Amino acid sequence: MTNILKVFEKKYPSITRLYPLGQSVQNRTLWVLEISDNPGTHEPGEPEFKYIGNMHGNEVVSREILLHFIEYLLEGYNNDAEIRKLINNTRIHIMPSMNPDGYEAAKTDDGSSIERCTGVVGRPNAKGVDLNRNFPDQFEGEEKKLAKETQLVKEWIDRVPFVMSANLHGGSLVANYPYDNRPDQRSLYSESPDDDIFRAMALTYSLNHPKMHLNTPACQGDNFKDGITNGAAWYSVSGGMQDYNYVNSNCFEITVEVSCCKFPGANTLQTFWQENKKSLLEYLKLVQTGLKGFVKDKVSNKGIEGAEIGIVGRSHPVRSAKDGDYWRLLVPGTYHVKVHKRGYFPETKIVKVRDGQAASMDFFLRQNGEKRDDLQLAEVKEKNGKKPVPISLVIGLTVVCVISLMLALALVIMIVKKYRGDGNIKTEYSAIDSEP
């Protein structure tokens, strides 16, 4: 796989960038191939998208079809106007394998073909951690220890302003959307604030697949209407990656099961690619829908980073990126959009979102005299990507330290005055000290 990705980068240097997220437990590289007309740069106003495969190392179809998809996009750039437009206006990141150690374990497994189809050898990472149960979860109180691969992908999600994503798996044939979990951990429907959007995303993948959307079960035990399901309604999963994306970033992610057999024979892979090609492309195109624009300072015309773009009636805002650009996935309809940031007067506008290309709406905020809460000023960021410390906490601790210092100084002064003011004690000690 590494050699294939390097060949792609060498063959298409003007539209690709191969970069490592880091190393797995067994020191294999987690590679990402970026496809863009300006690789290596976040272009203001351009959405960022990602595909991740092979999170479970023994679910190999996702890894193979993503390699085919990369080749399809790169070859199409110079001879397909639709693909060229998509690459010129989207920053695409593709990670064929999130769990290369698990893949190596599965590849060398000598089990029968049936065991390789349904088994679990290579599913976790090299330390036995299921990566799709390892992300911080909104319904779990205590923090869990993150696997090396989980930490790398988490930091990637936190760092890059992704708009949309899909995580590809194997073992079934269905598009699964948030939430994956519930407060009571029961396997019942768990609706997110953007349930309609997630259903539309899942249907886009399913309806463009020749088998997934059919109401006759594709895999034994499957029973999914239109080939989609709410995650928790299927079975409750704690620590899933798709929920982490949605709850902790701007990124809307679904999980797609692309094959009944987890590790099928190599002679079947071309068929899987053909079945998923249209779905992968149509799903990617959704990143250009909904609502987009910039949030800027009305006086300076500079972009405002970290402004919240909220949809009235939905409790899930997104935040503007460093240049003030934002993207907000929405299904067609009329929305009241409210934008606010500390230090500015909020602004609300009505926008109509239609099918196809995203509606464009810019916001120009006026400062209100309050101390601005710019991310660079509002947080003291620790090194090594650790969680930033709020400025209010820093100020509070500083005040406590100053008061403590003043009290200690006052106590010292009182003690000094007491001993200096007692003449008898001073004379007595002077007399003792002066004796030979």
Side-chain angles (χ1 to χ4, degrees), residues 175-323:
N176 166 349
Y177 56 90
Y179 287 133
D180 258 341
N181 198 9
R182 293 167 51 92
D184 58 11
Q185 309 294 309
R186 297 172 67 192
S187 293
L188 296 171
Y189 204 106
S190 185
E191 184 175 313
S192 75
D194 290 299
D195 191 70
D196 56 343
I197 299 167
F198 279 118
R199 287 179 58 83
M201 291 165 60
L203 279 169
T204 296
Y205 200 99
S206 174
L207 295 177
N208 285 286
H209 191 285
K211 297 178 182 177
M212 191 179 292
H213 68 280
L214 302 178
N215 290 324
T216 53
C219 309
Q220 185 176 2
D222 282 0
N223 185 23
F224 305 113
K225 187 178 185 303
D226 299 322
I228 69 171
T229 184
N230 172 260
W234 186 12
Y235 58 92
S236 184
V237 168
S238 174
M241 184 165 67
Q242 70 175 10
D243 282 11
Y244 180 81
N245 273 272
Y246 179 63
V247 173
N248 297 280
S249 77
N250 290 344
C251 189
F252 286 54
E253 178 172 287
I254 66 171
T255 302
V256 186
E257 304 278 347
V258 296
S259 64
C260 299
C261 179
K262 297 177 183 179
F263 204 122
N267 62 332
T268 66
L269 294 177
Q270 187 62 224
T271 299
F272 285 118
W273 158 236
Q274 292 299 328
E275 290 176 348
N276 285 277
K277 178 169 68 173
K278 188 177 180 183
S279 292
L280 289 167
L281 182 63
E282 294 302 314
Y283 184 82
L284 169 56
K285 287 160 62 175
L286 286 180
V287 78
Q288 293 286 348
T289 65
L291 177 64
K292 66 177 181 178
F294 286 83
V295 182
K296 296 184 176 182
D297 186 294
K298 191 167 186 176
V299 175
S300 68
N301 203 42
K302 291 182 179 179
I304 299 174
E305 181 181 6
E308 286 197 351
I309 298 91
I311 306 300
V312 176
R314 294 177 187 247
S315 57
H316 185 80
V318 298
R319 302 182 78 189
S320 56
K322 64 178 181 178
D323 298 296

Side-chain angles (χ1 to χ4, degrees), residues 321-365:
K322 64 178 181 178
D323 298 296
D325 49 334
Y326 75 91
W327 284 81
R328 213 306 180 178
L329 295 178
L330 291 166
V331 295
T334 301
Y335 300 92
H336 288 73
V337 185
K338 184 177 181 179
V339 176
H340 69 91
K341 175 78 186 283
R342 184 180 176 184
Y344 294 89
F345 290 106
E347 185 175 7
T348 302
K349 293 183 178 181
I350 299 174
V351 62
K352 188 167 186 176
V353 174
R354 295 180 171 85
D355 278 321
Q357 198 68 20
S360 184
M361 181 74 73
D362 294 337
F363 292 82
F364 296 88
L365 305 186

Side-chain angles (χ1 to χ4, degrees), residues 92-104:
I92 305 163
H93 307 254
I94 300 179
M95 176 189 284
S97 181
M98 181 178 166
N99 186 4
D101 295 349
Y103 171 77
E104 290 299 324

